[in-house]
Amino acid sequence: MARSKGTVFFCTECGYESSKWMGQCPGCRAWNTFAEAPSGKGTKTAGAAGIVRKSGRDEKPKRLAEIETAKETRVSTQMTELDRVLGGGLVAGSLILVGGDPGIGKSTLLLQVCRNLAEKGHKVLYISGEESLGQIRLRADRLGQFSGELLFFCETDLDMIAGVIEEEQPEAVVIDSIQTMYREEAGAAPGSVGQVRESTHVLMRLAKENNITIFIVGHVTKEGTVAGPKMLEHMVDTVLYFEGEKNASYRILRSVKNRFGSTNEIGVFEMEHDGLHQVLNPSEYMLSGKPEGASGSVTACIMEGTRPVLLEIQALVCRTNFGLPRRTAAGTDYNRVNLLIAVLEKRAGLRLSDCDAYVNIAGGLKVSEPSLDLGIVMALASSQRDVPVDDRMMIFGEVGLSGEVRAVSMAEKRIREAGKLGFTSCMLPRVCLDRMRERPDGIRLIGVRNVREAIQCLQPLSGA
């Protein structure tokens, strides 16, 4: 097929760009998603490579000792969970990318942030390229009363949007979404790689030059990453992912990049009819409804950034009716569960080769931290022997192929979190117990070296 000069093909799913049409996208493996658009070569861009240059200043290279630093001022969003993820609040002049599945609650979260900022006297501008003003009003009515200087604007032309921002001079701006924005100079279709890159350059310049905090909403691909060029995540200051199942009430806001705070922090929210509500104690929320005295139920602890979160591991082991036993894992790595089952057979002598094994992380969380290993092992052994684990015991530790229980980080913080929720005992790696400087009062610590020692702790309960 003949192609006109100055055009390229790009994937409408992930933004992969190619000089020719392809049936399957090499980036996201989707079929028949390539569309033709002008390449946009030779057009003006907003600054070379997105670098912000301030005119009228004679800048020279400086030594580290000559650089003056000012104390960072942060603005609270009035949402404790969001402030935690951002590292303490909003930093003026920062560019924040918020990604997530369609309908997960990105626009609802940012609309609530805008309301909170406006109520505290900050001027906020909400720009939507996907909804009309009437649709925004209907959504806002479900969230409650709005007051303060909160302005709404529906437009997709970025040049017009830049003019409105420079004229109004708000303290915070929301762009919903970056894939709908376009500049005529870029010469490409909205949502294409060139347009997304050019639009982000313009917004970055506006944020830095005018000291405005700008939120950018980004669509995600089937793999869960932000659609468009990977450079988009490198350009912004903070990348937040809003995760969760549509049919589940909870939502998790996760930081994967933050120039002004730690990464891998999470904030937990619950979706209700009047918007998102913060879950200030995720451990209590995840353990609600945990059965008492049931075999195969174990409480474990994971670390999400600097926050310990207690959760329930459920395991069910039963004789198989077929020649090939079935293995199922929900919320954790399937291959990791198979590995731990093999360790139990070889190192602890548990016969599981003719049993079906099902492992579930209650609450719908998806966890890959190695500290979950010992909890999974104890849940499988408890279900296989039909002996319950103590309801007031919390378990964590990594398990190796030799059956050894290895150390994990932040053991003391995990134990303190268990103590706050009323747990009376904790099973942990022996090496972590030996390294502890101060042992907390009111909680019994059980240090184990291998899985055989851990499973022996089930024996005293067998006669109960």
Side-chain angles (χ1 to χ4, degrees), residues 43-198:
T43 59
K44 295 181 181 180
T45 58
I51 299 174
V52 179
R53 292 187 174 90
K54 296 184 178 180
S55 58
R57 297 182 61 184
D58 186 18
E59 291 288 350
K60 294 181 181 179
K62 294 181 179 179
R63 296 183 179 88
L64 186 63
E66 298 174 348
I67 301 175
E68 297 180 359
T69 57
K71 188 177 180 181
E72 226 171 44
T73 56
R74 293 180 180 265
V75 177
S76 174
T77 62
Q78 308 303 314
M79 301 178 78
T80 308
E81 294 294 293
L82 179 56
D83 287 345
R84 171 198 291 273
V85 176
L86 291 172
L90 300 176
V91 178
S94 60
L95 193 61
I96 302 169
L97 175 64
V98 181
D101 293 331
I104 204 68
K106 303 183 297 296
S107 300
T108 300
L109 173 68
L110 293 178
L111 191 57
Q112 289 182 232
V113 171
C114 291
R115 179 185 63 182
N116 294 343
L117 292 173
E119 287 177 351
K120 292 298 179 180
H122 302 285
K123 188 175 183 179
V124 185
L125 177 61
Y126 188 101
I127 299 172
S128 176
E130 299 181 344
E131 295 178 292
S132 66
L133 291 175
Q135 290 173 318
I136 296 174
R137 175 63 187 270
L138 290 174
R139 183 153 52 87
D141 288 342
R142 294 196 296 269
L143 301 180
Q145 295 294 326
F146 281 70
S147 61
E149 202 165 0
L150 174 56
L151 307 176
F152 294 92
F153 187 54
C154 293
E155 184 57 59
T156 57
D157 187 342
L158 202 60
D159 292 327
M160 187 177 296
I161 289 172
V164 170
I165 292 175
E166 291 180 347
E167 180 182 349
E168 296 289 342
Q169 286 295 310
E171 296 178 55
V173 175
V174 173
I175 304 293
D176 187 8
S177 66
I178 190 65
Q179 277 80 14
T180 61
M181 300 295 121
Y182 79 94
R183 288 194 79 198
E184 192 172 343
E185 291 183 3
S192 64
V193 173
Q195 282 286 6
V196 171
R197 183 169 52 232
E198 177 73 10

Side-chain angles (χ1 to χ4, degrees), residues 62 81 127 144 195 243 250 297 314 322 426 432:
K62 294 181 179 179
E81 294 294 293
I127 299 172
Q195 282 286 6
E243 305 169 354
Y250 78 92
S297 177
Q314 297 176 334
F322 307 98
C426 176
C432 289

Side-chain angles (χ1 to χ4, degrees), residues 290-294 297 299 388-394 423-424 461:
K290 183 180 182 297
E292 294 184 2
S297 177
T299 301
V389 177
D390 185 6
D391 291 326
R392 309 315 298 168
M393 175 186 287
M394 188 267 288
F423 285 81
T424 57
L461 297 174

Side-chain angles (χ1 to χ4, degrees), residues 376-398:
I376 294 174
V377 164
M378 291 297 290
L380 288 168
S382 170
S383 179
Q384 196 266 352
R385 295 188 173 185
D386 199 20
V387 177
V389 177
D390 185 6
D391 291 326
R392 309 315 298 168
M393 175 186 287
M394 188 267 288
I395 300 172
F396 65 89
E398 180 183 356

Side-chain angles (χ1 to χ4, degrees), residues 207-229:
K208 305 302 180 185
E209 290 185 354
N210 298 283
N211 218 26
I212 299 172
T213 302
I214 299 181
F215 287 92
I216 299 175
V217 176
H219 296 166
V220 296
T221 63
K222 294 176 182 177
E223 287 73 28
T225 58
V226 176

